[in-house]
Amino acid sequence: MSRPRVLLGVTGGIAAYKSTDVVRRLIERGCEVKCALTRSAGSFVTPLSLEVLSGHAVYEQEYLTANGRGEESHIVAAQWADAVCVAPATAHLMARLALGLADDFLTTTLLAFTGPVLLAPAMHSDMWSHAATAAHVETLSNRGVHFVGPEEGPLASGEVGVGRMSEPVDVAEAVMRLAVSGGAGVTGALAGRRVLISAGPTHEPIDPVRYLGNRSSGKMGFALAAEAARQGASTTLVAGPVALPTPAGVERIDVTTAFEMRDAVYRHAGEAELIVMTAAVADFRPSSPAGGKIKRARGVPTLELEENPDILAGLPEVAPRALLVGFAAETEPSVEEATAKLARKGADFLIWNDVSRSDIGFGAENNEVTVYSRSGEPSHLERRPKEELAVALIDLFRDALEDRERSAVGTAG
Ligand code: PMT
């Protein structure tokens, strides 16, 4: 997918200064951002700051007219954006939007925009709880407009209450999910779910220039992360050393060794409902990596190895409620071995890969797998591009999550 395009509307409130950080966070996450200021927003944040940070001219009042190429600027902007976010959104902006008023560039563009809209309200708590604001929020929600915040905390007046704009990082995350999924971040099949995926190899240092590694490219894991995000999940990807771009809407954590991967996975595992370990974690590491480069002249070295922690096998304890999926890279198919591995790792699913073939598995564009589960017969997914396989697998894991929740409700009832 190309870079998600976000139009960030900024309205006139004290929280407008936070909009520069929202731009920065969106760009960090791979978005292209253009900004539109209302008339009063310019008193709180300068167009120049937003222009420099976003790398685009800022839409202001004069853009209401044609842009000199015979095009209406608000229509061009509405057709350009994948998502529109207004942060901060004042009570006045929400009222104008609810009534369909179009008296400046931002509201005219919002009226012409057909994609997902996210508002990050910011105002005094009395304004937020006013019946007029509540009615406008309800109208907008019923119309499919999404909200992030407001939060409770210190307000500009010095009082404490509900009305603070959500933190820029939370606004950026929410916009990303909407932009990537075309609204699925709130309504998608995995909306509201947290998914954690590991991908790629680990590199275990022998000395400062050499390592033990394997041929995993990370493609399978990255395809799964992209699909989870597309279905609206809040997706974290722990990536070993690979040369792949971060899928849109995915939070990526780069690691090198098995120990680093374990720490990153365990740090995020507690909040995840689905954990998929596609990473080809090195089972062994050199016991004592040399501090300096091992010299050829000293003769052939002997490498002593020791076992790495088994990340997946530790997950039932770290994340007892998560659905756990292991991938297995094997050269000879064996039902007995797959079943034993599933039990040994404590996983709910084991996805069996044949890495003896060059057209699938390590580094290949395609993959073909057999799915083993604790309950049920193994099923085979025929060879197809890893992106297509990722769709089938994420659908399968999502169904399993939903089945598990249904049976938990049944048991409780
Ligand atoms: O990355 P690609 O080029 O796209 O290739 C994809 C793939 C072939 C690498 C992938 O589909 C795959 O099979 N990944 C699992 C590779 C592997 O490590 O298999 P394993 O049988 O050694 O491990 C089984 C499971 O335990 C895996 O989920 C692995 O992440 C996990 N494990 C293994 C060792 C260890 N120390 N800790 C672990 O958590």
Side-chain angles (χ1 to χ4, degrees), residues 195-199 220-229 235-239 251 253 261 265 272 274-279 394:
V195 174
L196 175 62
I197 295 173
S198 71
M220 190 67 243
F222 275 56
L224 286 160
E227 178 58 19
T235 308
T236 303
L237 174 65
V238 178
E251 185 202 2
I253 301 167
M261 184 168 278
V265 166
L274 167 64
I275 304 178
V276 187
M277 290 287 300
T278 67
I394 291 289

Side-chain angles (χ1 to χ4, degrees), residues 89-401:
T90 56
H92 188 231
L93 180 279
M94 293 194 297
R96 287 192 291 153
L97 193 54
L99 295 172
L101 299 181
D103 57 352
D104 66 1
F105 178 82
L106 182 57
T107 47
T108 316
T109 305
L110 279 163
L111 214 52
F113 182 62
T114 53
V117 174
L118 179 80
L119 303 182
M123 65 200 73
H124 188 274
S125 48
D126 290 344
M127 294 170 75
W128 174 247
S129 59
H130 193 285
T133 309
H136 293 319
V137 169
E138 193 182 341
T139 302
L140 292 169
S141 299
N142 291 340
R143 217 181 272 156
V145 171
H146 307 290
F147 287 84
V148 55
E151 314 290 336
E152 185 168 2
L155 305 170
S157 63
E159 296 155 276
V160 173
V162 177
R164 267 178 80 80
M165 186 177 121
S166 292
E167 288 307 313
V169 66
D170 297 327
V171 176
E173 288 280 324
V175 187
M176 276 303 293
R177 286 200 290 278
L178 280 180
V180 169
S181 58
V186 175
T187 56
L190 284 172
R193 305 254 192 211
R194 287 191 175 269
V195 174
L196 175 62
I197 295 173
S198 71
T202 63
H203 287 177
E204 311 297 328
I206 296 171
D207 67 15
V209 293
R210 305 177 179 96
Y211 59 82
L212 283 182
N214 60 65
R215 296 194 294 112
S216 170
S217 64
K219 285 177 192 164
M220 190 67 243
F222 275 56
L224 286 160
E227 178 58 19
R230 204 189 60 75
Q231 293 197 19
S234 196
T235 308
T236 303
L237 174 65
V238 178
V242 294
L244 292 176
T246 308
V250 169
E251 185 202 2
R252 173 177 179 166
I253 301 167
D254 286 314
V255 296
T256 303
T257 64
F259 267 107
E260 288 171 13
M261 184 168 278
R262 182 196 62 177
D263 290 349
V265 166
Y266 286 5
R267 207 166 42 245
H268 290 84
E271 60 206 24
E273 286 145 294
L274 167 64
I275 304 178
V276 187
M277 290 287 300
T278 67
V281 186
D283 281 319
F284 308 103
R285 68 179 183 281
S287 309
S288 358
K293 185 180 173 190
I294 299 171
K295 302 283 184 211
R296 183 189 172 104
R298 297 229 179 105
V300 180
T302 303
L303 276 186
E304 196 180 305
L305 302 179
E306 60 189 36
E307 233 180 331
N308 266 332
D310 190 324
I311 304 172
L312 177 56
L315 280 172
E317 202 178 320
V318 179
R321 284 190 298 279
L323 189 84
L324 300 179
V325 181
F327 268 60
E330 299 289 345
T331 47
E332 286 155 30
S334 153
V335 178
E336 294 72 35
E337 209 178 307
T339 314
K341 200 170 208 172
L342 188 65
R344 198 168 62 246
K345 301 268 186 180
D348 298 286
F349 287 97
L350 190 74
I351 313 300
W352 188 263
N353 297 246
D354 180 350
V355 287
S356 65
R357 284 167 54 180
S358 60
D359 63 328
I360 56 172
F362 282 132
E365 294 306 317
N366 297 306
N367 208 3
E368 175 177 328
V369 297
T370 304
V371 178
Y372 292 87
S373 67
R374 282 209 229 168
S375 49
E377 289 295 301
S379 60
H380 193 73
L381 294 173
E382 291 300 341
R383 192 176 90 120
R384 65 195 81 176
K386 283 178 176 165
E387 291 76 13
E388 283 177 30
L389 190 65
V391 177
L393 288 171
I394 291 289
D395 284 351
L396 182 90
F397 305 149
R398 195 195 59 230
D399 288 348
L401 262 177

